[in-house]
Amino acid sequence: MTTTNANPNANQSRQRLVAIAAVIVAALLIVNGVLLYSWLSQKKVATQTTAALEETERLKEELENQYNEALAELETMRGTNEELNSLIDQKEAELKDSRDKIDRLIKSDLAGAKSEIKNLKSQLNQYVTEINDLKAQNVQLTEANTQLSEEKTMLQTDLEQQKMTNEELA
């Protein structure tokens, strides 16, 4: 009888071992699934971070190029007019402030940085237009000044001739 009783106990022990092993296998599969999901999520975040970093670097490079181009363009507009040169200096300082602001935005807010870069381009175009307008006005004023000087010289010559004629008549 003990042999028949031993078999049911052995079968129960085996069934318990199989059940415990099945629970352990299921737990390991769940842990593996969670780890796989976590790894995939981290990989996705890493990819997004890498893309954002590349975009940031591209924006910083674009900003620096535009800033240098703007400075070069403003420098080409320098001339002998001190008022215009001081305006160019002022605009260069404003461009530097804008560039620094955009640089800070690039580090914290990519969309804001893109918007500021567009504003910087618009601002640069506005500065160039303003400087070109001032140059055109300067040319017009120079021409008017030259014309007035010529008229003054002619009037002085006429006046001298009239004085001489009056002296001869007197």
Side-chain angles (χ1 to χ4, degrees):
M1 281 197 178
T2 52
T3 54
T4 56
N5 285 342
N7 275 341
N9 283 339
N11 281 340
Q12 270 186 336
S13 292
R14 277 191 186 148
Q15 286 177 351
R16 281 187 193 161
L17 285 174
V18 168
I20 290 173
V23 168
I24 290 174
V25 167
L28 287 175
L29 285 173
I30 291 171
V31 167
N32 279 341
V34 168
L35 289 175
L36 179 64
Y37 176 77
S38 174
W39 178 77
L40 289 173
S41 295
Q42 288 178 350
K43 185 176 180 181
K44 183 178 179 182
V45 168
T47 302
Q48 290 171 346
T49 303
T50 301
L53 179 62
E54 289 171 355
E55 177 73 7
T56 300
E57 291 299 319
R58 187 189 64 73
L59 281 175
K60 285 177 84 171
E61 185 178 315
E62 181 181 336
L63 170 65
E64 197 61 34
N65 288 340
Q66 288 178 2
Y67 175 72
N68 289 334
E69 287 173 9
L71 284 180
E73 190 168 349
L74 287 175
E75 284 300 319
T76 61
M77 295 181 175
R78 284 199 184 273
T80 57
N81 185 332
E82 288 302 316
E83 185 178 328
L84 186 59
N85 287 343
S86 81
L87 178 65
I88 289 172
D89 291 337
Q90 177 187 355
K91 299 306 179 187
E92 284 177 349
E94 289 175 13
L95 280 174
K96 184 183 181 314
D97 291 343
S98 294
R99 181 195 68 174
D100 293 343
K101 180 180 176 184
I102 293 170
D103 197 34
R104 286 189 301 274
L105 280 174
I106 285 175
K107 292 176 183 172
S108 63
D109 179 20
L110 221 54
K114 287 179 182 179
S115 172
E116 282 298 317
I117 287 175
K118 287 180 184 175
N119 288 343
L120 179 63
K121 286 179 183 178
S122 171
Q123 192 177 25
L124 173 63
N125 290 336
Q126 185 180 13
Y127 291 162
V128 169
T129 301
E130 185 179 341
I131 289 171
N132 286 335
D133 288 346
L134 289 172
K135 280 186 169 183
Q137 289 175 4
N138 194 11
V139 167
Q140 288 175 346
L141 290 172
T142 301
E143 289 173 358
N145 191 18
T146 302
Q147 183 180 359
L148 288 173
S149 294
E150 289 172 359
E151 287 177 9
K152 178 184 170 193
T153 303
M154 287 176 33
L155 288 173
Q156 283 177 337
T157 304
D158 287 348
L159 179 64
E160 290 297 321
Q161 288 177 352
Q162 288 298 326
K163 281 184 183 180
M164 292 170 107
T165 304
N166 284 345
E167 285 178 10
E168 289 176 4
L169 289 175

